[in-house]
Amino acid sequence: MRPLIAGNWKMHGDMSWVDKPGAFAELLPAAEREHLDVLICPPSLFIAPMAASCHEGNILLGAQNCHDAESGAHTGEVSAEMVKSAGADYVIVGHSERRAGGETNADVAAKAIAAAKQGVTPIICVGESLDIRKADEAEAVVSAQIKASVPEGLTDYVLAYEPIWAIGTGMTATAEDIKAMHAMIRDIVGPNVRILYGGSVKPANAKEILGTDNVNGALIGGASLEMESLAAIARAA
Ligand code: PEP
């Protein structure tokens, strides 16, 4: 399956960052990454001004969130249609940092439906807390999250497994844990859905993680902010 290397810039950067895709394409020209997809999910404000350079550099563009409504009185929100019309083809939904703010599985499923309606591919995030992993309930919790967050009948989506305790902490799940979790996820999502691993992926651990069975790419926070490290991770894929 074609790997997907996805960077999530979160709330980092300023307008000068719209030049980063150009820098990435110089570091790792499209001809050297024909076997994989590279995606950058910047803050929403940067999507439109990044669209041309991403297109030129063969880099996909995504948003970090969208609202489930088509339009309306939702101050500060962006709709899936806005995401699409700004130039993005992917949207992250249900990131743990948003779930921590109260987003439920049902909210995530509604956002995924809204995205799919606009032809935007949702990247649906799931993952367990450290307490849950310690209690040996990680697989049960993640399985329940997937069943409740992935809308019935949806086929074009990406599933990102991100153990919460590994996000931004420098801790990563062991290769065995990732292998076991991704095998379980594969059984649920079927053979055609890309399953990403996320949680402190960096150049030093990318090869091992990306070489694990049923890992079809990575969702990368901190290490996606520097184009050198994002390119090094993409090279490992
Ligand atoms: C993320 O936010 O999705 C993430 C995986 O972050 P980091 O790579 O910094 O752990």
Side-chain angles (χ1 to χ4, degrees):
M1 200 176 288
R2 198 175 160 79
L4 173 62
I5 298 300
N8 171 14
W9 284 358
K10 308 192 184 185
M11 200 175 72
H12 292 290
D14 58 31
M15 267 313 162
S16 71
W17 282 39
V18 305
D19 296 332
K20 285 189 180 239
F24 179 90
E26 273 184 28
L27 285 166
L28 186 60
E32 291 173 33
R33 51 179 155 87
E34 279 174 345
H35 63 292
L36 60 94
D37 291 328
V38 174
L39 165 71
I40 297 178
C41 301
S44 297
L45 279 174
F46 304 173
I47 293 173
M50 279 172 62
S53 63
C54 280
H55 185 72
E56 224 168 84
N58 207 8
I59 296 165
L60 299 164
L61 197 47
Q64 299 172 16
N65 179 44
C66 69
H67 200 277
D68 62 288
E70 281 180 14
S71 63
H74 304 289
T75 302
E77 297 283 349
V78 295
S79 69
E81 188 182 3
M82 293 169 188
V83 164
K84 182 74 178 179
S85 66
D89 291 314
Y90 287 77
V91 62
I92 299 170
V93 293
H95 191 281
S96 62
E97 287 156 14
R98 298 199 58 87
R99 288 181 184 263
E103 210 163 282
T104 64
N105 289 325
D107 296 332
V108 176
K111 289 176 182 215
I113 290 169
K117 256 192 197 164
Q118 297 298 330
V120 176
T121 303
I123 299 176
I124 301 173
C125 301
V126 295
E128 82 286 356
S129 66
L130 192 53
D131 284 348
I132 287 170
R133 176 150 290 271
K134 282 182 177 160
D136 217 11
E137 288 167 3
E139 292 198 7
V141 165
V142 168
S143 156
Q145 272 181 332
I146 295 171
K147 286 170 186 158
S149 302
V150 177
E152 217 168 305
L154 186 70
T155 52
D156 183 15
Y157 67 98
V158 176
L159 199 289
Y161 167 60
E162 300 203 297
I164 297 168
W165 49 271
I167 296 178
T169 59
M171 291 161 69
T172 45
T174 64
E176 273 146 59
D177 288 343
I178 296 173
K179 190 174 168 185
M181 184 62 84
H182 279 234
M184 185 215 71
I185 295 172
R186 174 66 65 213
D187 281 345
I188 302 173
V189 302
N192 299 323
V193 170
R194 289 193 278 194
I195 308 172
L196 310 185
Y197 171 80
S200 298
V201 175
K202 36 189 179 288
N205 59 22
K207 207 160 188 72
E208 184 184 20
I209 292 171
L210 293 167
T212 305
D213 288 351
N214 289 308
V215 173
N216 310 119
L219 183 53
I220 305 141
S224 75
L225 305 180
E226 297 294 337
M227 293 304 96
E228 287 79 5
S229 52
L230 186 61
I233 293 169
R235 262 191 213 99

